[in-house]
């Protein structure tokens, strides 16, 4: 456990940005209002989930661009962008553009693997190249190299009145050093560490094996330590933990009942690994800020980090998110030793 003199350094939140298919603008506007509130409350970062062909944010880079013009300080991240859906060169251009617009506040979080439900979307996504697309870690390496300014073209010069660059434009110095990798297993965490990336560890992990411990916190601790063992920065390598955390300090009786029902419905999946990938789900953390702080200080994964991105629960009302974020910033954060940014 970090000693009491080592406070939680960075406090962020993660939202899926849900919307009604019949009125998508309203949902996206609510997401932007949540980000604005996060800045007002002193949060260090606002992170966006990435959902394709669902009623959640499909283009977090576009939403970050909008948020960058309505905020001035809060960092903006993706947790995570699945690179199987992306062309790394085009994504590098978009990320660099938003980073420039935001004044260097973008934190790209990425992952790899085939797109979710790939058989259903392959003809629309990769009609001619689906069988030869590379969904490995090489896709991350391409993105990072392009963000660093390594050549994207064999030509640089002037043709007529047009000038061409051989690297991604605009170039945003420092952006490549803010790339995070969302790892589910220890192997991918070690790979990210060896690449010098930062690590996003969430509320879902792959158990090391079917006979390994099913204690989520112990598994997360092992993942973080495996990452830092091979990272050039060692113990100082950045890791951010993401759990679903719901403080109830100022919640109404109706809200507390809603939150309790939400957690109760999700708890059975945490009892054992799920599916062929042996996925472990972390229990949601519900209670007063003091109760949550005590639970986190006893959590083996939390004891390894000084940065968190607490995930907002799905499907709640805007007023619920206002209450949760306000309690997190004004009560839970300070209970963990965190101080809001100004």
């Amino acid at each position: 456990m970090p000693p009491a003199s080592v406070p939680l350094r960075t406090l962020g939140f993660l939202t899926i940005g849900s919307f009604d298919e019949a009125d998508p603008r309203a949902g996206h506007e609510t997401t932007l209002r949540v980000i604005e509130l996060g800045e007002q409350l002193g949060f260090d970062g606002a992170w966006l989930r990435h959902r394709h062909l669902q009623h959640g944010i499909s283009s977090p880079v576009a939403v970050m661009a909008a948020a960058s013009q309505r905020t001035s300080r809060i960092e903006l991240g993706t947790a995570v962008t699945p690179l199987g859906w992306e062309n790394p060169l085009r994504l590098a251009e978009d990320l660099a553009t938003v980073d420039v617009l935001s004044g260097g506040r973008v934190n790209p979080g990425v992952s790899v693997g085939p797109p979710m439900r790939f058989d259903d979307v392959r003809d629309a996504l990769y009609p001619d190249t689906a069988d030869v697309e590379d969904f490995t870690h090489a896709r991350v390496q391409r993105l990072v190299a392009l963000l660093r300014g390594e050549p994207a073209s064999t030509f640089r010069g002037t043709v007529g009145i047009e000038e061409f660059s051989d690297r991604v434009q605009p170039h945003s110095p420092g952006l490549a050093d803010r790339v995070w990798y969302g790892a589910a297993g220890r192997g991918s965490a070690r790979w990210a560490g060896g690449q010098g990336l930062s690590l996003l560890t969430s509320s879902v992990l792959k158990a090391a094996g079917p006979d390994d411990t099913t204690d989520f916190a112990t598994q997360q601790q092992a993942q973080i330590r495996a990452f830092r063992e091979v990272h050039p920065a060692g113990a100082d390598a950045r890791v951010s933990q993401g759990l679903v955390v719901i403080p109830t300090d100022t919640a109404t009786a109706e809200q507390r009942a809603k939150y309790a029902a939400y957690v109760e419905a999700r708890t059975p999946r945490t009892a054992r690994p799920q599916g062929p990938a042996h996925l472990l789900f972390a229990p949601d953390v519900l209670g007063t800020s003091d109760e949550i702080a005590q639970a986190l200080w006893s959590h083996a994964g939390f004891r390894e980090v000084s940065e968190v991105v607490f995930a907002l629960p799905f499907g709640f009302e805007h007023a619920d998110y206002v209450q949760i974020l306000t309690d997190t910033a004004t009560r839970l954060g300070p209970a963990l030793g965190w101080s809001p940014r100004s």
Side-chain angles (χ1 to χ4, degrees), residues 43-78:
F43 277 90
D44 298 286
W47 296 71
L48 305 175
R49 290 187 184 270
H50 205 144
R51 287 293 184 267
H52 287 293
L53 303 180
Q54 296 179 321
H55 302 130
I57 296 171
S58 63
S59 182
V61 178
V63 175
M64 289 193 299
S68 76
Q69 303 306 292
R70 295 168 63 154
T71 58
S72 61
R73 177 201 54 77
I74 194 168
E75 296 187 356
L76 305 166
T78 63

mmCIF file of all heavy atoms in Angstrom, residues 43-78:
data_model
loop_
_atom_site.group_PDB
_atom_site.id
_atom_site.type_symbol
_atom_site.label_atom_id
_atom_site.label_comp_id
_atom_site.label_asym_id
_atom_site.label_seq_id
_atom_site.Cartn_x
_atom_site.Cartn_y
_atom_site.Cartn_z
ATOM 1 N N PHE A 43 -11.191 17.691 -12.119
ATOM 2 C CA PHE A 43 -10.679 16.401 -12.588
ATOM 3 C C PHE A 43 -9.474 16.624 -13.499
ATOM 4 O O PHE A 43 -9.393 17.610 -14.229
ATOM 5 C CB PHE A 43 -11.755 15.643 -13.362
ATOM 6 C CG PHE A 43 -12.721 14.875 -12.510
ATOM 7 C CD1 PHE A 43 -13.901 15.477 -12.054
ATOM 8 C CD2 PHE A 43 -12.473 13.564 -12.161
ATOM 9 C CE1 PHE A 43 -14.796 14.778 -11.278
ATOM 10 C CE2 PHE A 43 -13.367 12.846 -11.377
ATOM 11 C CZ PHE A 43 -14.534 13.457 -10.937
ATOM 12 N N ASP A 44 -8.558 15.664 -13.474
ATOM 13 C CA ASP A 44 -7.378 15.747 -14.328
ATOM 14 C C ASP A 44 -7.675 15.307 -15.754
ATOM 15 O O ASP A 44 -7.034 15.796 -16.696
ATOM 16 C CB ASP A 44 -6.260 14.864 -13.758
ATOM 17 C CG ASP A 44 -5.825 15.332 -12.386
ATOM 18 O OD1 ASP A 44 -5.148 16.362 -12.298
ATOM 19 O OD2 ASP A 44 -6.190 14.666 -11.386
ATOM 20 N N GLY A 45 -8.600 14.352 -15.932
ATOM 21 C CA GLY A 45 -8.844 13.832 -17.267
ATOM 22 C C GLY A 45 -10.265 13.364 -17.466
ATOM 23 O O GLY A 45 -10.930 12.891 -16.534
ATOM 24 N N ALA A 46 -10.741 13.507 -18.705
ATOM 25 C CA ALA A 46 -12.017 12.948 -19.141
ATOM 26 C C ALA A 46 -11.713 11.985 -20.276
ATOM 27 O O ALA A 46 -11.065 12.368 -21.260
ATOM 28 C CB ALA A 46 -12.968 14.046 -19.612
ATOM 29 N N TRP A 47 -12.159 10.760 -20.139
ATOM 30 C CA TRP A 47 -11.841 9.709 -21.102
ATOM 31 C C TRP A 47 -13.130 9.196 -21.728
ATOM 32 O O TRP A 47 -14.168 9.112 -21.070
ATOM 33 C CB TRP A 47 -11.104 8.565 -20.401
ATOM 34 C CG TRP A 47 -9.773 8.970 -19.854
ATOM 35 C CD1 TRP A 47 -9.528 9.785 -18.781
ATOM 36 C CD2 TRP A 47 -8.496 8.577 -20.354
ATOM 37 N NE1 TRP A 47 -8.182 9.916 -18.592
ATOM 38 C CE2 TRP A 47 -7.520 9.190 -19.540
ATOM 39 C CE3 TRP A 47 -8.078 7.766 -21.421
ATOM 40 C CZ2 TRP A 47 -6.149 9.016 -19.749
ATOM 41 C CZ3 TRP A 47 -6.719 7.584 -21.630
ATOM 42 C CH2 TRP A 47 -5.770 8.210 -20.802
ATOM 43 N N LEU A 48 -13.047 8.837 -23.006
ATOM 44 C CA LEU A 48 -14.208 8.390 -23.767
ATOM 45 C C LEU A 48 -14.048 6.946 -24.199
ATOM 46 O O LEU A 48 -12.999 6.564 -24.728
ATOM 47 C CB LEU A 48 -14.389 9.276 -25.004
ATOM 48 C CG LEU A 48 -14.486 10.782 -24.747
ATOM 49 C CD1 LEU A 48 -14.543 11.536 -26.075
ATOM 50 C CD2 LEU A 48 -15.704 11.109 -23.895
ATOM 51 N N ARG A 49 -15.096 6.168 -23.972
ATOM 52 C CA ARG A 49 -15.127 4.818 -24.547
ATOM 53 C C ARG A 49 -15.341 4.926 -26.051
ATOM 54 O O ARG A 49 -15.714 5.967 -26.567
ATOM 55 C CB ARG A 49 -16.247 3.980 -23.914
ATOM 56 C CG ARG A 49 -16.004 3.596 -22.472
ATOM 57 C CD ARG A 49 -17.083 2.642 -22.000
ATOM 58 N NE ARG A 49 -16.959 2.317 -20.596
ATOM 59 C CZ ARG A 49 -16.245 1.300 -20.119
ATOM 60 N NH1 ARG A 49 -15.564 0.527 -20.947
ATOM 61 N NH2 ARG A 49 -16.207 1.076 -18.815
ATOM 62 N N HIS A 50 -15.132 3.812 -26.738
ATOM 63 C CA HIS A 50 -15.252 3.776 -28.193
ATOM 64 C C HIS A 50 -16.212 2.648 -28.550
ATOM 65 O O HIS A 50 -15.931 1.476 -28.279
ATOM 66 C CB HIS A 50 -13.869 3.501 -28.806
ATOM 67 C CG HIS A 50 -13.723 4.007 -30.205
ATOM 68 N ND1 HIS A 50 -12.563 4.534 -30.686
ATOM 69 C CD2 HIS A 50 -14.601 4.059 -31.232
ATOM 70 C CE1 HIS A 50 -12.700 4.893 -31.955
ATOM 71 N NE2 HIS A 50 -13.941 4.605 -32.304
ATOM 72 N N ARG A 51 -17.355 2.999 -29.123
ATOM 73 C CA ARG A 51 -18.366 1.998 -29.439
ATOM 74 C C ARG A 51 -18.776 2.129 -30.914
ATOM 75 O O ARG A 51 -19.278 3.172 -31.327
ATOM 76 C CB ARG A 51 -19.595 2.176 -28.544
ATOM 77 C CG ARG A 51 -19.371 1.738 -27.102
ATOM 78 C CD ARG A 51 -19.175 0.235 -27.019
ATOM 79 N NE ARG A 51 -19.057 -0.236 -25.650
ATOM 80 C CZ ARG A 51 -17.902 -0.398 -25.010
ATOM 81 N NH1 ARG A 51 -16.776 -0.082 -25.622
ATOM 82 N NH2 ARG A 51 -17.876 -0.849 -23.784
ATOM 83 N N HIS A 52 -18.554 1.071 -31.698
ATOM 84 C CA HIS A 52 -18.948 1.078 -33.101
ATOM 85 C C HIS A 52 -20.283 0.360 -33.271
ATOM 86 O O HIS A 52 -20.511 -0.698 -32.688
ATOM 87 C CB HIS A 52 -17.878 0.386 -33.954
ATOM 88 C CG HIS A 52 -16.637 1.201 -34.118
ATOM 89 N ND1 HIS A 52 -16.603 2.378 -34.818
ATOM 90 C CD2 HIS A 52 -15.374 1.003 -33.662
ATOM 91 C CE1 HIS A 52 -15.372 2.872 -34.805
ATOM 92 N NE2 HIS A 52 -14.614 2.061 -34.106
ATOM 93 N N LEU A 53 -21.151 0.951 -34.094
ATOM 94 C CA LEU A 53 -22.457 0.382 -34.424
ATOM 95 C C LEU A 53 -23.281 0.111 -33.173
ATOM 96 O O LEU A 53 -24.040 -0.855 -33.094
ATOM 97 C CB LEU A 53 -22.282 -0.905 -35.255
ATOM 98 C CG LEU A 53 -21.480 -0.736 -36.553
ATOM 99 C CD1 LEU A 53 -21.357 -2.060 -37.285
ATOM 100 C CD2 LEU A 53 -22.098 0.316 -37.458
ATOM 101 N N GLN A 54 -23.099 0.990 -32.170
ATOM 102 C CA GLN A 54 -23.903 0.972 -30.956
ATOM 103 C C GLN A 54 -24.339 2.400 -30.665
ATOM 104 O O GLN A 54 -23.951 3.330 -31.370
ATOM 105 C CB GLN A 54 -23.096 0.398 -29.781
ATOM 106 C CG GLN A 54 -22.685 -1.050 -29.951
ATOM 107 C CD GLN A 54 -21.876 -1.565 -28.774
ATOM 108 O OE1 GLN A 54 -21.037 -0.855 -28.210
ATOM 109 N NE2 GLN A 54 -22.117 -2.803 -28.406
ATOM 110 N N HIS A 55 -25.131 2.561 -29.619
ATOM 111 C CA HIS A 55 -25.610 3.896 -29.266
ATOM 112 C C HIS A 55 -24.705 4.508 -28.202
ATOM 113 O O HIS A 55 -25.132 4.913 -27.115
ATOM 114 C CB HIS A 55 -27.070 3.827 -28.804
ATOM 115 C CG HIS A 55 -27.967 3.228 -29.845
ATOM 116 N ND1 HIS A 55 -28.844 2.206 -29.581
ATOM 117 C CD2 HIS A 55 -28.078 3.488 -31.178
ATOM 118 C CE1 HIS A 55 -29.481 1.869 -30.696
ATOM 119 N NE2 HIS A 55 -29.029 2.633 -31.676
ATOM 120 N N GLY A 56 -23.425 4.547 -28.547
ATOM 121 C CA GLY A 56 -22.402 5.187 -27.737
ATOM 122 C C GLY A 56 -21.430 5.858 -28.683
ATOM 123 O O GLY A 56 -21.589 5.784 -29.906
ATOM 124 N N ILE A 57 -20.416 6.499 -28.155
ATOM 125 C CA ILE A 57 -19.518 7.303 -28.981
ATOM 126 C C ILE A 57 -18.779 6.436 -29.995
ATOM 127 O O ILE A 57 -17.990 5.570 -29.636
ATOM 128 C CB ILE A 57 -18.510 8.051 -28.097
ATOM 129 C CG1 ILE A 57 -19.246 9.052 -27.200
ATOM 130 C CG2 ILE A 57 -17.494 8.796 -28.956
ATOM 131 C CD1 ILE A 57 -18.367 9.681 -26.145
ATOM 132 N N SER A 58 -19.019 6.679 -31.264
ATOM 133 C CA SER A 58 -18.320 5.954 -32.325
ATOM 134 C C SER A 58 -17.097 6.720 -32.805
ATOM 135 O O SER A 58 -16.200 6.142 -33.416
ATOM 136 C CB SER A 58 -19.256 5.692 -33.511
ATOM 137 O OG SER A 58 -19.688 6.919 -34.090
ATOM 138 N N SER A 59 -17.051 8.021 -32.542
ATOM 139 C CA SER A 59 -15.943 8.853 -32.986
ATOM 140 C C SER A 59 -15.438 9.718 -31.836
ATOM 141 O O SER A 59 -15.700 10.924 -31.786
ATOM 142 C CB SER A 59 -16.368 9.734 -34.160
ATOM 143 O OG SER A 59 -15.280 10.516 -34.628
ATOM 144 N N PRO A 60 -14.712 9.120 -30.886
ATOM 145 C CA PRO A 60 -14.242 9.908 -29.752
ATOM 146 C C PRO A 60 -13.293 11.034 -30.143
ATOM 147 O O PRO A 60 -13.229 12.052 -29.454
ATOM 148 C CB PRO A 60 -13.553 8.878 -28.849
ATOM 149 C CG PRO A 60 -13.255 7.721 -29.730
ATOM 150 C CD PRO A 60 -14.332 7.702 -30.761
ATOM 151 N N VAL A 61 -12.572 10.872 -31.245
ATOM 152 C CA VAL A 61 -11.672 11.947 -31.667
ATOM 153 C C VAL A 61 -12.477 13.194 -32.023
ATOM 154 O O VAL A 61 -12.104 14.322 -31.683
ATOM 155 C CB VAL A 61 -10.789 11.499 -32.838
ATOM 156 C CG1 VAL A 61 -9.898 12.645 -33.308
ATOM 157 C CG2 VAL A 61 -9.930 10.303 -32.447
ATOM 158 N N ALA A 62 -13.610 13.001 -32.698
ATOM 159 C CA ALA A 62 -14.466 14.138 -33.029
ATOM 160 C C ALA A 62 -15.050 14.771 -31.774
ATOM 161 O O ALA A 62 -15.132 16.009 -31.660
ATOM 162 C CB ALA A 62 -15.593 13.698 -33.967
ATOM 163 N N VAL A 63 -15.450 13.940 -30.813
ATOM 164 C CA VAL A 63 -15.999 14.477 -29.567
ATOM 165 C C VAL A 63 -14.912 15.208 -28.784
ATOM 166 O O VAL A 63 -15.157 16.272 -28.187
ATOM 167 C CB VAL A 63 -16.632 13.348 -28.727
ATOM 168 C CG1 VAL A 63 -17.096 13.877 -27.376
ATOM 169 C CG2 VAL A 63 -17.814 12.725 -29.476
ATOM 170 N N MET A 64 -13.691 14.678 -28.781
ATOM 171 C CA MET A 64 -12.592 15.374 -28.116
ATOM 172 C C MET A 64 -12.324 16.718 -28.777
ATOM 173 O O MET A 64 -11.996 17.700 -28.104
ATOM 174 C CB MET A 64 -11.324 14.519 -28.117
ATOM 175 C CG MET A 64 -11.383 13.326 -27.191
ATOM 176 S SD MET A 64 -9.755 12.550 -26.908
ATOM 177 C CE MET A 64 -9.309 12.048 -28.579
ATOM 178 N N ALA A 65 -12.441 16.772 -30.101
ATOM 179 C CA ALA A 65 -12.244 18.040 -30.794
ATOM 180 C C ALA A 65 -13.256 19.071 -30.315
ATOM 181 O O ALA A 65 -12.909 20.231 -30.048
ATOM 182 C CB ALA A 65 -12.352 17.846 -32.307
ATOM 183 N N ALA A 66 -14.516 18.656 -30.200
ATOM 184 C CA ALA A 66 -15.540 19.579 -29.704
ATOM 185 C C ALA A 66 -15.250 19.968 -28.263
ATOM 186 O O ALA A 66 -15.350 21.151 -27.895
ATOM 187 C CB ALA A 66 -16.920 18.931 -29.824
ATOM 188 N N ALA A 67 -14.878 18.990 -27.445
ATOM 189 C CA ALA A 67 -14.601 19.277 -26.035
ATOM 190 C C ALA A 67 -13.401 20.193 -25.874
ATOM 191 O O ALA A 67 -13.348 21.001 -24.933
ATOM 192 C CB ALA A 67 -14.370 17.970 -25.280
ATOM 193 N N SER A 68 -12.445 20.087 -26.774
ATOM 194 C CA SER A 68 -11.245 20.926 -26.669
ATOM 195 C C SER A 68 -11.573 22.399 -26.803
ATOM 196 O O SER A 68 -10.832 23.255 -26.304
ATOM 197 C CB SER A 68 -10.218 20.514 -27.736
ATOM 198 O OG SER A 68 -10.589 20.978 -29.029
ATOM 199 N N GLN A 69 -12.676 22.707 -27.479
ATOM 200 C CA GLN A 69 -13.060 24.102 -27.681
ATOM 201 C C GLN A 69 -13.988 24.606 -26.580
ATOM 202 O O GLN A 69 -14.330 25.790 -26.551
ATOM 203 C CB GLN A 69 -13.727 24.258 -29.046
ATOM 204 C CG GLN A 69 -12.862 23.793 -30.208
ATOM 205 C CD GLN A 69 -11.498 24.458 -30.217
ATOM 206 O OE1 GLN A 69 -11.387 25.659 -30.453
ATOM 207 N NE2 GLN A 69 -10.446 23.690 -29.947
ATOM 208 N N ARG A 70 -14.389 23.716 -25.686
ATOM 209 C CA ARG A 70 -15.268 24.104 -24.582
ATOM 210 C C ARG A 70 -14.585 23.966 -23.233
ATOM 211 O O ARG A 70 -15.202 24.202 -22.185
ATOM 212 C CB ARG A 70 -16.548 23.251 -24.631
ATOM 213 C CG ARG A 70 -17.361 23.550 -25.886
ATOM 214 C CD ARG A 70 -18.470 22.564 -26.158
ATOM 215 N NE ARG A 70 -19.495 22.517 -25.139
ATOM 216 C CZ ARG A 70 -20.756 22.131 -25.371
ATOM 217 N NH1 ARG A 70 -21.141 21.801 -26.608
ATOM 218 N NH2 ARG A 70 -21.625 22.084 -24.403
ATOM 219 N N THR A 71 -13.329 23.557 -23.243
ATOM 220 C CA THR A 71 -12.535 23.421 -22.024
ATOM 221 C C THR A 71 -11.156 24.013 -22.285
ATOM 222 O O THR A 71 -10.791 24.273 -23.433
ATOM 223 C CB THR A 71 -12.383 21.944 -21.625
ATOM 224 O OG1 THR A 71 -11.770 21.218 -22.716
ATOM 225 C CG2 THR A 71 -13.732 21.310 -21.304
ATOM 226 N N SER A 72 -10.384 24.185 -21.222
ATOM 227 C CA SER A 72 -9.057 24.765 -21.395
ATOM 228 C C SER A 72 -7.954 24.000 -20.687
ATOM 229 O O SER A 72 -6.779 24.209 -20.976
ATOM 230 C CB SER A 72 -9.048 26.213 -20.879
ATOM 231 O OG SER A 72 -9.355 26.242 -19.486
ATOM 232 N N ARG A 73 -8.318 23.101 -19.771
ATOM 233 C CA ARG A 73 -7.296 22.458 -18.952
ATOM 234 C C ARG A 73 -7.380 20.938 -18.911
ATOM 235 O O ARG A 73 -6.379 20.242 -18.983
ATOM 236 C CB ARG A 73 -7.401 23.006 -17.513
ATOM 237 C CG ARG A 73 -6.441 22.372 -16.535
ATOM 238 C CD ARG A 73 -6.903 22.557 -15.098
ATOM 239 N NE ARG A 73 -8.257 22.096 -14.846
ATOM 240 C CZ ARG A 73 -8.608 20.817 -14.712
ATOM 241 N NH1 ARG A 73 -7.715 19.859 -14.847
ATOM 242 N NH2 ARG A 73 -9.867 20.482 -14.480
ATOM 243 N N ILE A 74 -8.575 20.402 -18.777
ATOM 244 C CA ILE A 74 -8.741 18.972 -18.553
ATOM 245 C C ILE A 74 -8.172 18.173 -19.722
ATOM 246 O O ILE A 74 -8.323 18.541 -20.884
ATOM 247 C CB ILE A 74 -10.233 18.627 -18.317
ATOM 248 C CG1 ILE A 74 -10.382 17.217 -17.751
ATOM 249 C CG2 ILE A 74 -11.063 18.811 -19.592
ATOM 250 C CD1 ILE A 74 -11.784 16.933 -17.220
ATOM 251 N N GLU A 75 -7.465 17.078 -19.418
ATOM 252 C CA GLU A 75 -6.922 16.228 -20.465
ATOM 253 C C GLU A 75 -8.038 15.361 -21.046
ATOM 254 O O GLU A 75 -9.023 15.044 -20.370
ATOM 255 C CB GLU A 75 -5.780 15.375 -19.922
ATOM 256 C CG GLU A 75 -4.590 16.214 -19.476
ATOM 257 C CD GLU A 75 -3.382 15.388 -19.097
ATOM 258 O OE1 GLU A 75 -3.469 14.136 -19.108
ATOM 259 O OE2 GLU A 75 -2.340 15.991 -18.789
ATOM 260 N N LEU A 76 -7.869 14.962 -22.308
ATOM 261 C CA LEU A 76 -8.897 14.230 -23.040
ATOM 262 C C LEU A 76 -8.304 12.938 -23.570
ATOM 263 O O LEU A 76 -7.274 12.959 -24.249
ATOM 264 C CB LEU A 76 -9.427 15.083 -24.192
ATOM 265 C CG LEU A 76 -9.950 16.464 -23.793
ATOM 266 C CD1 LEU A 76 -10.129 17.349 -25.015
ATOM 267 C CD2 LEU A 76 -11.273 16.340 -23.025
ATOM 268 N N GLY A 77 -8.944 11.804 -23.254
ATOM 269 C CA GLY A 77 -8.376 10.531 -23.662
ATOM 270 C C GLY A 77 -9.399 9.575 -24.233
ATOM 271 O O GLY A 77 -10.616 9.777 -24.114
ATOM 272 N N THR A 78 -8.915 8.518 -24.860
ATOM 273 C CA THR A 78 -9.762 7.428 -25.342
ATOM 274 C C THR A 78 -9.393 6.157 -24.598
ATOM 275 O O THR A 78 -8.220 5.843 -24.443
ATOM 276 C CB THR A 78 -9.597 7.206 -26.855
ATOM 277 O OG1 THR A 78 -8.248 6.814 -27.145
ATOM 278 C CG2 THR A 78 -9.924 8.459 -27.625
#
